[in-house]
Amino acid sequence: MMALQVAGCALPPLLARRRRRAFRSPRAVASDAAPAAAREEDGKVALGGSGVAVTKLGIGAWSWGDTTYWNEFQWDDRKLKAAKGAFDASIDCGITFFDTAEVYGAGISGAINSESLLGRFIKERQRKEKVEVAIATKFAALPWRFGRGSVICALKASLDRLGVSSVELYQLHWPGIWGNEGYLDGLGDAVEQGLVKAVGVSNYSEKRLRDAYAQLKKRGIPLASNQVNYSLIYRNPEENGVKAACDELGITLIAYSPIAQGALTGKYTPDNPPKGPRGRIYTPEFLTKLQPLINRIKEIGGNYGRTPTQVVLNWLVCQGNVVPIPGAKNAEQAREFAGALGWSLTGDEVEELRSMARQVKPVIGFPVEKL
């Protein structure tokens, strides 16, 4: 997902003198015979045709350091410790894929950059033990950024904040008002320069997705992923052709807001709606209409000894070629998310929940996905 704003990248920042992670480029090649679903190996899935493998569920770090949408507009040591707990609990549970962005917690949208926090957490954990973490971050297609050079400049700044020499996945956060071909050229340059192992996009429509895939393919670089809003109650990727295109082309669909920002957890009711900006989206009226679905999710979860959160995340995994990235603000949430793996809903249960969800009018998604 996205936050508000980040400073422009007019001049390349000084890179950190010490970089912890060596990079060896696998340079995967785009193939005409793209697999319809992500390949699985050792409990992980490959991101498209890139050769980069990640855990079947990742952790979103949008809320880390943010003070405009999350955290009740304030960030303090208690929330910092909770975020660190979320990171450590994820690693303990075998979840090693983390998604962040240069705009998360940056500038006017937060107290501290999410990338900086993730980099700090990795470094602190590696003082105790060797851990392999797959990092995904994103380029903000701001209107004053032009050409392929702006992508490399922003990427190097992200690497500096993360304290690494490369990341597993670098994504265009949303389509730009202009200059998208140049941005895609920048992604290709990043692969060839060894700064990233795989590249993707986010909030891309079917047409934009196909165009991006074709442009990168000319350079022999696979488009690994498209990160979009996708949940049981927001199934626009199924309806607008994005999911089908991802499956056809062998592009992994990364699902943000997979628990609908908490609305599908059963935590919120018409008498107890979420606070802050989410309360304007998930209103008491909306939550009233959602209750029959929530009740059925609870019933199904009870049959498996699973929570509603774990049921709706498993529902996404059952769609195939989907990696959900719920946002974890504390250790308890991270451990709960990990419990969405290692079991599966039946096909009948998957379709029953989809059928019930059709009775709930979806909330508005990120507007640029319609471009």
Side-chain angles (χ1 to χ4, degrees):
M1 192 50 184
M2 68 168 291
L4 294 180
Q5 189 171 342
V6 68
C9 193
L11 293 173
L14 292 175
L15 298 180
R17 290 185 175 85
R18 294 189 297 273
R19 292 286 172 82
R20 294 183 288 100
R21 303 166 74 221
F23 175 81
R24 180 179 294 176
S25 174
R27 188 59 191 278
V29 178
S31 170
D32 286 320
R39 300 183 305 280
E40 296 189 13
E41 182 179 355
D42 298 328
K44 295 185 177 182
V45 293
L47 290 176
S50 69
V52 173
V54 300
T55 47
K56 296 178 183 179
L57 182 145
I59 297 296
W62 177 19
S63 69
W64 295 0
D66 178 79
T67 56
T68 59
Y69 195 86
W70 301 101
N71 301 307
E72 298 176 350
F73 309 112
Q74 56 182 326
W75 185 256
D76 53 31
D77 288 342
R78 179 179 60 83
K79 291 173 181 175
L80 173 61
K81 291 178 181 178
K84 176 63 162 57
F87 173 83
D88 284 330
S90 299
I91 298 295
D92 293 340
C93 292
I95 305 299
T96 58
F97 179 40
F98 295 86
D99 179 82
T100 183
E102 62 173 328
V103 295
Y104 292 168
I108 64 171
S109 68
I112 183 171
N113 190 282
S114 172
E115 291 177 325
S116 298
L117 289 174
L118 178 56
R120 181 194 305 181
F121 297 161
I122 293 172
K123 184 176 182 180
E124 291 173 354
R125 181 75 181 217
Q126 289 188 332
R127 289 187 185 130
K128 301 177 182 179
E129 62 177 323
K130 183 178 180 180
V131 292
E132 294 293 331
V133 176
I135 300 172
T137 191
K138 309 182 201 70
F139 167 83
L142 300 167
W144 53 86
R145 285 179 162 173
F146 299 96
R148 63 206 306 166
S150 64
V151 175
I152 298 300
C153 176
L155 172 56
K156 288 181 177 180
S158 288
L159 295 176
D160 195 45
R161 285 187 292 271
L162 288 160
V164 298
S165 58
S166 69
V167 290
E168 279 63 34
L169 179 65
Y170 195 50
Q171 307 151 94
L172 302 182
H173 204 153
W174 60 82
I177 298 174
W178 48 66
N180 288 290
E181 290 187 0
Y183 295 154
L184 290 165
D185 286 338
L187 290 184
D189 294 344
V191 172
E192 293 177 351
Q193 292 179 31
L195 300 175
V196 302
K197 298 178 182 179
V199 291
V201 293
S202 180
N203 298 298
Y204 266 46
S205 66
E206 179 189 359
K207 182 181 184 306
R208 286 189 180 277
L209 183 67
R210 291 184 181 278
D211 289 346
Y213 173 88
Q215 183 173 336
L216 288 168
K217 184 180 177 182
K218 292 176 181 178
R219 297 175 67 172
I221 297 172
L223 179 62
S225 61
N226 185 18
Q227 184 178 145
V228 295
N229 188 348
Y230 187 25
S231 72
L232 178 58
I233 59 172
Y234 190 82
R235 299 176 313 286
N236 203 43
E238 297 178 356
E239 299 159 1
N240 63 12
V242 165
K243 176 66 165 63
C246 284
D247 293 346
E248 174 194 338
L249 300 174
I251 299 168
T252 299
L253 191 154
I254 299 176
Y256 71 72
S257 295
I259 55 177
Q261 300 181 15
L264 287 170
T265 65
K267 174 181 178 180
Y268 300 113
T269 66
D271 296 327
N272 178 40
K275 298 178 181 178
R278 286 182 297 161
R280 295 194 293 270
I281 301 172
Y282 303 104
T283 63
E285 180 183 12
F286 178 86
L287 293 171
T288 297
K289 296 177 181 178
L290 188 63
Q291 286 310 296
L293 176 61
I294 295 296
N295 292 338
R296 183 57 181 142
I297 290 170
K298 289 179 179 179
E299 289 175 0
I300 292 174
N303 295 334
Y304 293 93
R306 303 288 173 170
T307 68
T309 297
Q310 292 166 341
V311 170
V312 297
L313 289 173
N314 189 270
W315 184 90
L316 280 171
V317 174
C318 286
Q319 306 312 308
N321 195 32
V322 175
V323 176
I325 52 166
K329 292 193 287 186
N330 55 56
E332 181 181 3
Q333 290 179 347
R335 285 190 286 266
E336 183 178 20
F337 297 156
L341 301 178
W343 63 284
S344 179
L345 295 166
T346 67
D348 287 344
E349 288 166 338
V350 168
E351 290 310 312
E352 179 189 359
L353 291 176
R354 177 183 279 108
S355 178
M356 290 189 69
R358 290 193 182 104
Q359 308 305 312
V360 181
K361 184 178 179 180
V363 295
I364 297 174
F366 192 29
V368 298
E369 69 189 17
K370 302 182 187 300
L371 294 178

